[in-house]
Amino acid sequence: ASALLQSCESAHACESPAMAGEIDGETTLVLVSAIFVLFMTIPGLALFYGSLVSRKNLFDTMLQSVILTGTIPILWWMVGYSLCFDTSQHPLVHYVGGFGKALLEWGEDSTAAGITESAFCVFQLTFGIITAAIATGAVAERALLWPTMLIANLWFLLVYCPVCHMVWGENGLLLRWGVLDTAGGLVVETCSGVTALVLCYFVGPRSHPS
């Protein structure tokens, strides 16, 4: 009986956070929310942008969202998540994360924001995808598909990841200043909106408005 009691106590002590009822419910809610955000990109954003362009540019415009949904997760797996949420110390720790979580390296029972880190990672990934996709709408019908996709992926690493880290990262500069962004108004809407304005500036007005 004593051995059985010790075994039960040991099993309870080793129980992962995801097995607790409250945490498990939060994790489920976050994953469901991630699915909804992903649906906002494909098919949501793809159909919306497709409805705004001429028929000859419909396929390329919708394909922008589809391609980014395939490429951004690769970058996220390689270094994106780490640049956003790694907490290892380095000279630019308040501006961008390090490489401590590159290739999604973390402990088996690692948590973030009170849920399992794997669920948190998937949830944050969907925001990275839709932010890049929103910005590309500024040059719909105005730029070639593949150069736009190349720039969008580079932008994700060089612009989105540092902004995300500064606002949502544990050591982020803006977070330390007291900035709170609970709904993505800075990281998603402002970041993609300013990027869209810059793209419009460089592309310029239409020479032959339709």
Side-chain angles (χ1 to χ4, degrees), residues 70-95:
T71 58
I72 295 297
I74 297 175
L75 297 177
W76 189 252
W77 166 72
M78 293 174 63
V79 295
Y81 180 77
S82 187
L83 293 177
C84 290
F85 296 104
D86 180 45
T87 57
S88 58
Q89 296 297 314
H90 59 88
L92 299 177
V93 66
H94 299 312
Y95 301 94

Side-chain angles (χ1 to χ4, degrees), residues 73-205:
I74 297 175
L75 297 177
W76 189 252
W77 166 72
M78 293 174 63
V79 295
Y81 180 77
S82 187
L83 293 177
C84 290
F85 296 104
D86 180 45
T87 57
S88 58
Q89 296 297 314
H90 59 88
L92 299 177
V93 66
H94 299 312
Y95 301 94
V96 66
F99 297 99
K101 294 185 178 181
L103 304 180
L104 304 186
E105 291 289 340
W106 58 64
E108 182 179 352
D109 297 329
S110 180
T111 61
I115 60 174
T116 58
E117 189 159 11
S118 57
F120 177 79
C121 176
V122 171
F123 181 64
Q124 289 292 341
L125 166 62
T126 59
F127 286 105
I129 295 172
I130 196 169
T131 306
I134 290 172
T136 60
V139 292
E141 291 191 304
R142 309 294 309 285
L144 296 176
L145 175 63
W146 295 112
T148 302
M149 294 298 93
L150 176 60
I151 293 173
N153 282 278
L154 290 175
W155 172 90
F156 171 76
L157 292 175
L158 299 177
V159 178
Y160 177 83
C161 289
V163 171
C164 180
H165 178 78
M166 285 189 286
V167 177
W168 286 336
E170 183 177 325
N171 297 321
L173 178 66
L174 296 180
L175 182 65
R176 291 167 62 89
W177 285 355
V179 175
L180 294 178
D181 181 11
T182 57
L186 282 176
V187 179
V188 180
E189 281 83 3
T190 302
C191 195
S192 60
V194 172
T195 301
L197 286 175
V198 173
L199 289 173
C200 289
Y201 174 80
F202 281 102
V203 172

Side-chain angles (χ1 to χ4, degrees), residues 42-63:
I42 52 171
L45 199 61
L47 292 173
F48 173 66
Y49 281 161
S51 69
L52 301 177
V53 300
S54 61
R55 183 176 299 179
K56 67 177 181 179
N57 294 307
L58 172 63
F59 181 74
D60 280 3
T61 301
M62 295 184 66
L63 200 57

